[in-house]
Amino acid sequence: LANGPDTYQKKASNRLQIESLMDCVCSLVSDVRQTGAKPLVLDIGAGKALFTRAVYEALDREVSVVALDSRRPKNKQHKTGDRFYDPVCVKGGDMPYTRVVADVRYLAAKTLLPLRESKNGGTVAITKHLCGGATDGSIKALCKEPLETYVGACCFAPCCHQKIRKDQYCNIRYLESMGFCQTHIGLRGGVQDNDFGTFSKLISISKAAELRDWEYKKSTILELLGFARSAQLGRQARRLLEEGRIRYLQDHGFDAYLVRYCDESVTGDNLAIIAKKKGEAL
């Protein structure tokens, strides 16, 4: 991929993340093969598709790959050019590489045509740093028709937890069972829940090495807890949200767990959710 477009995705830290995640993805593809299903890798929110393309090449183009994203590639005549990593040429002996323009939450039957030979658990769904609630949308999509009959495993590396809205998160019920997100009637008579907003603020603080004077200057949390304690709680809040996502997958027929796929010095969002349909070969 050295000759691919020169975008921010090729920076050293991003490449390290991709290299680390590749081990997880290739292992899941091997697991799917052992079940007798025909593997296919579905990259949800592929964007410019550096991760998609890297997986395709790492598997020696012997596994079909689908780059799914809701935005269309730019026209080649566009002033910034076509800066995607999709291969220019797929040879006769290569398995298909397909770009699909669609939203994973609203898939039409024709959208799934590239996946048809990998039904019944052959599809390995992957994401890398989908922003905010997009990871939750993807998780929910895997657990219902039409995708649930295709996907046998997934590797999701989330990011930007502070941008998740409460109505997007996939497992509020889990947070409520842990004593969080209990609604109450506020002073003005409206229904309030401060916990999810507090999680977001703590997570934002946890992503900073240090705070400038103007940041969060009106934050009661910082006044009460200080920066170090707030940052620690922010990291724990991130872990709590990932646990809820894992429980959601477990409740919908997956064996799911969390892995630390790279060092925190590379990225603070260094956790990935690994899940396999129960009954699949491990």
Side-chain angles (χ1 to χ4, degrees):
L1 299 181
N3 295 325
D6 187 17
T7 72
Y8 74 94
Q9 291 194 354
K10 288 177 70 172
K11 65 181 183 180
S13 60
N14 193 49
R15 295 178 68 166
L16 283 172
Q17 294 166 42
I18 288 175
E19 290 169 6
S20 300
L21 285 168
M22 296 262 268
D23 290 338
C24 300
V25 176
C26 292
S27 177
L28 290 176
V29 168
S30 177
D31 289 340
V32 165
R33 277 201 178 107
Q34 291 177 32
T35 70
K38 187 173 183 179
L40 175 144
V41 176
L42 171 65
D43 189 0
I44 301 171
K48 296 181 183 296
L50 177 58
F51 187 29
T52 325
R53 179 73 184 281
V55 169
Y56 186 54
E57 302 297 348
L59 294 169
D60 297 322
R61 300 193 174 197
E62 295 176 355
V63 174
S64 298
V65 167
V66 173
L68 177 71
D69 199 88
S70 59
R71 60 180 179 173
R72 296 183 179 277
K74 294 176 181 176
N75 187 290
K76 289 184 179 180
Q77 282 70 48
H78 190 274
K79 62 182 180 180
T80 61
D82 186 357
R83 299 169 64 81
F84 282 48
Y85 290 91
D86 301 334
V88 176
C89 177
V90 176
K91 298 178 182 177
D94 298 337
M95 294 301 288
Y97 179 108
T98 309
R99 176 170 284 276
V100 173
V101 179
D103 188 322
V104 71
R105 299 170 297 174
Y106 314 109
L107 293 176
K110 65 179 182 179
T111 306
L112 297 173
L113 287 176
L115 281 65
R116 61 188 180 277
E117 294 185 10
S118 298
K119 207 169 182 179
N120 301 319
T123 300
V124 177
I126 65 173
T127 68
K128 181 186 178 295
H129 287 189
L130 281 187
C131 191
T135 293
D136 299 282
S138 300
I139 288 173
K140 288 186 280 190
L142 299 193
C143 298
K144 64 181 182 181
E145 292 292 350
L147 270 186
E148 67 176 347
T149 57
Y150 291 85
V151 175
C154 69
C155 172
F156 286 175
C159 80
C160 301
H161 301 72
Q162 73 276 15
K163 295 183 180 180
I164 306 170
R165 299 196 314 266
K166 183 179 178 181
D167 64 297
Q168 294 176 319
Y169 185 63
C170 66
N171 206 351
I172 289 295
R173 188 173 298 178
Y174 168 72
L175 298 180
E176 291 173 343
S177 74
M178 298 296 288
F180 298 107
C181 298
Q182 304 292 332
T183 57
H184 64 278
I185 303 301
L187 294 175
R188 298 183 180 179
V191 177
Q192 295 183 352
D193 162 29
N194 294 327
D195 288 345
F196 207 85
T198 300
F199 289 159
S200 297
K201 185 170 290 186
L202 288 169
I203 291 169
S204 292
I205 293 172
S206 74
K207 290 178 173 290
E210 59 183 8
L211 296 182
R212 297 182 179 90
D213 291 339
W214 53 268
E215 292 184 295
Y216 306 103
K217 62 181 180 180
K218 295 183 179 179
S219 171
T220 304
I221 291 176
L222 281 176
E223 290 180 9
L224 292 173
L225 302 176
F227 174 65
R229 178 61 173 157
S230 296
Q232 178 190 17
L233 290 174
R235 290 189 289 271
Q236 292 174 339
R238 271 191 277 171
R239 180 64 178 81
L240 179 69
L241 295 180
E242 300 299 15
E243 183 63 29
R245 288 165 166 169
I246 287 171
R247 297 293 181 94
Y248 185 92
L249 287 164
Q250 291 172 342
D251 290 343
H252 288 82
F254 286 86
D255 288 318
Y257 55 94
L258 204 61
V259 299
R260 184 175 285 106
Y261 67 88
C262 68
D263 190 79
E264 196 170 8
S265 62
V266 177
T267 174
D269 293 310
N270 63 339
L271 301 178
I273 299 168
I274 307 296
K276 305 172 189 178
K277 276 277 181 70
K278 291 177 181 176
E280 307 291 346
L282 300 179

